[in-house]
Amino acid sequence: MISKRAFIAILTLLPAFLSGCVTQNYENDDTPVVQNQANTDDMAATRISLGLGYLKMGNMPQAKQNLEKAKNFAPNMVQVYTAFAHYYETVGEHKLTISSYEKALSIKSDDADTLNNYGVYLCRQDKIEAAEKQFLKAIAVPSYLLVAKSYENLSSCFLKNDDFIKAEMYLNKAILHSPSSSSILFQMIRLQYAMGDYKQAKSFNQRFERVTRRFTSQFLALSYKVHYKLGERGTAKNYGTMLVKMFPQSWEAQQYLLNELTSIEADSLAKRYELLKATNTLTKPKKRIVKLSPKKSKKTSPESVDKTQKQVVAEKEVNRVHLSTLKPSTVKEKKAIESSDVVQEEPKTGTQDQSKKLPGFHVVKAGDTLYGISLKYNIKVESLRRWNNINKKLYIKDIIFLEDPKLVNQ
């Protein structure tokens, strides 16, 4: 039983507890009539939160009902329509999603959060250029604080479309705006690994470790691969040991124990990059070299005629050797190669040591080794590795450049 003194104390405290409550009734159209000074924007924000909560649980009718009530409270609130955009995207109504974003931006065209979210949506729909436009609009808003996140989103968007150059550019911008972001640094390690720049990947790996010690299994696995590619096997093994000790149940740890992480997610990205690089390199139109015949004197001696014939035979023999390295599968391909830009210069008279013009590339066949290719074309192994970014085994039909592609393409 409550004493009289305690009862008086409870009565004294009641107004403090009840001051935050809202009393409301409903008219016939179920529109709430607020009877205190509560801000309608706050009421709308509450309904938005409830609606998104129901959406996350998969209760679509309740989600939409709460969002409609939020719109009734604040029909000109930007967040109401961005919430509707999220709802419509979830239920697959893409036209309504776009119209919701456009409605939000018609209310406030420089709302950076809406512009960023619109960009994310467009990227998911593979509308890369339109997404880039929205992201850059968000970044241009002076009061926007999440610039690094928008740049990171831009990088992911272009990487999804296999545009590695723009992905790297925007990720560098993200790092400039947020140099201590572990998630952005991790994405850069992954990107540099995929592009075969293992030294840069290691550099960003070290920066990652300086800003955080909250390692993940994905980071440790990627660190193992980076150092392994650099030939730093001891350091790589240390990362593998950390992976097994810290995350014994993870997929990465299991793969490390089974096959020493032969293939991780970053390797799939690396294959996409290699395929793209090979396609772009081999499909570039080559410049045709026009071979000018040497001027013939009016009088030719029998000895000079015989010498010229020997030169022609020697030239054909050299061309035959070069054509054999390409191994055309059909006669048609062989004729095409014979008329292509692998043209031999005629040897100059009066010189004993005449160098042969090398073909542009070598196609790997069974039994080939990098050392054997270097002997065949008289090129240093280190040069072949640098020009072709070779840090792995050779496979049949691999293309090995015999000169620096950067200089050739200038």
Side-chain angles (χ1 to χ4, degrees):
M1 185 174 181
I2 302 175
S3 66
K4 184 177 180 180
R5 182 178 295 178
F7 184 72
I8 293 172
I10 292 172
L11 289 176
T12 305
L13 294 172
L14 273 176
F17 286 106
L18 295 176
S19 62
C21 298
V22 176
T23 303
Q24 59 184 1
N25 55 31
Y26 292 85
E27 295 178 354
N28 293 332
D29 61 354
D30 292 332
T31 301
V33 179
V34 181
Q35 294 181 342
N36 65 0
Q37 301 298 317
N39 191 306
T40 54
D41 285 351
D42 291 338
M43 298 294 294
T46 300
R47 288 296 179 179
I48 290 172
S49 180
L50 284 170
L52 295 178
Y54 280 118
L55 184 63
K56 188 175 182 180
M57 292 188 294
N59 191 335
M60 305 307 177
Q62 283 293 328
K64 189 173 184 181
Q65 184 181 29
N66 277 279
L67 294 181
E68 290 290 352
K69 288 181 178 180
K71 186 165 67 173
N72 289 335
F73 280 123
N76 292 319
M77 179 186 279
V78 172
Q79 290 77 11
V80 170
Y81 298 98
T82 55
F84 263 113
H86 184 52
Y87 168 81
Y88 285 128
E89 182 185 0
T90 303
V91 297
E93 297 289 348
H94 297 294
K95 289 184 179 180
L96 292 173
T97 303
I98 293 174
S99 65
S100 295
Y101 277 121
E102 295 294 342
K103 175 64 176 177
L105 292 173
S106 70
I107 297 171
K108 189 178 181 183
S109 60
D110 63 345
D111 187 81
D113 291 331
T114 301
L115 290 166
N116 177 80
N117 294 340
Y118 195 10
V120 171
Y121 167 74
L122 291 171
C123 182
R124 282 199 285 257
Q125 301 305 309
D126 293 327
K127 298 178 179 179
I128 309 301
E129 291 183 3
E132 183 182 26
K133 183 178 179 181
Q134 300 303 324
F135 282 127
L136 293 178
K137 282 183 179 180
I139 290 167
V141 176
S143 59
Y144 187 45
L145 300 179
L146 301 178
V147 171
K149 190 62 182 176
S150 288
Y151 274 130
E152 184 182 4
N153 290 337
L154 259 172
S155 175
S156 299
C157 191
F158 278 100
L159 194 58
K160 177 185 176 184
N161 201 42
D162 284 346
D163 191 335
F164 287 82
I165 303 302
K166 276 200 169 183
E168 183 182 23
M169 178 187 75
Y170 283 128
L171 207 52
N172 274 317
K173 288 181 177 289
I175 291 174
L176 289 174
H177 283 273
S178 184
S180 299
S181 172
S182 58
S183 66
I184 296 175
L185 289 171
F186 176 78
Q187 293 304 323
M188 183 58 93
I189 300 168
R190 174 173 167 266
L191 181 60
Q192 295 299 330
Y193 174 87
M195 296 175 72
D197 195 339
Y198 305 120
K199 289 184 178 180
Q200 273 287 77
K202 179 183 175 181
S203 176
F204 284 108
N205 196 94
Q206 292 169 340
R207 288 181 63 175
F208 180 96
E209 293 182 353
R210 285 197 295 268
V211 301
T212 182
R213 285 291 172 180
R214 295 183 178 180
F215 298 161
T216 63
S217 58
Q218 293 83 3
F219 167 75
L220 293 173
L222 184 54
S223 299
Y224 171 85
K225 295 285 288 188
V226 168
H227 288 84
Y228 189 88
K229 290 287 188 181
L230 288 169
E232 300 172 0
R233 304 300 168 84
T235 306
K237 186 176 180 181
N238 290 339
Y239 280 109
T241 303
M242 289 175 64
L243 174 63
V244 174
K245 287 185 177 180
M246 295 175 67
F247 306 97
Q249 302 303 319
S250 67
W251 178 86
E252 289 80 8
Q254 297 300 318
Q255 291 301 306
Y256 175 74
L257 294 173
L258 287 172
N259 54 38
E260 294 189 344
L261 294 170
T262 301
S263 179
I264 61 175
E265 187 273 337
D267 288 308
S268 300
L269 188 62
K271 288 180 181 178
R272 283 163 49 191
Y273 178 74
E274 288 296 327
L275 179 63
L276 184 69
K277 188 172 67 171
T279 302
N280 287 348
T281 303
L282 297 179
T283 56
K284 286 182 179 179
K286 297 180 180 179
K287 295 181 180 179
R288 181 169 295 280
I289 301 174
V290 180
K291 176 182 160 185
L292 299 176
S293 300
K295 294 181 179 179
K296 295 182 179 180
S297 59
K298 292 182 179 179
K299 295 182 180 180
T300 55
S301 63
E303 292 181 0
S304 63
V305 171
D306 183 61
K307 185 176 180 180
T308 303
Q309 290 176 348
K310 290 180 179 180
Q311 290 176 353
V312 171
V313 171
E315 182 182 356
K316 288 183 178 181
E317 180 63 19
V318 171
N319 282 333
R320 185 189 65 77
V321 173
H322 289 159
L323 291 174
S324 68
T325 62
L326 295 177
K327 288 190 180 245
S329 57
T330 64
V331 175
K332 184 178 180 181
E333 290 178 5
K334 185 172 181 180
K335 290 181 178 179
I337 293 172
E338 288 173 348
S339 62
S340 68
D341 20 40
V342 183
V343 179
Q344 304 297 321
E345 297 180 357
E346 290 194 14
K348 297 179 181 179
T349 58
T351 58
Q352 294 179 352
D353 184 16
Q354 181 64 36
S355 60
K356 301 175 183 178
K357 181 175 175 61
L358 294 172
F361 58 87
H362 173 82
V363 181
V364 176
K365 60 182 182 295
D368 274 351
T369 64
L370 197 60
Y371 179 72
I373 295 171
S374 72
L375 287 179
K376 182 173 183 178
Y377 296 100
N378 194 25
I379 300 173
K380 292 181 179 180
V381 173
E382 292 77 10
S383 298
L384 291 176
R385 288 188 181 278
R386 184 173 67 256
W387 296 340
N388 296 276
N389 195 22
I390 297 175
N391 289 286
K392 59 180 183 179
K393 296 180 179 179
L394 297 182
Y395 295 94
I396 295 175
K397 295 185 180 180
D398 274 358
I399 302 299
I400 304 298
F401 292 106
L402 303 176
E403 47 193 327
D404 192 343
K406 294 181 180 177
L407 297 179
V408 173
N409 293 328
Q410 287 180 350

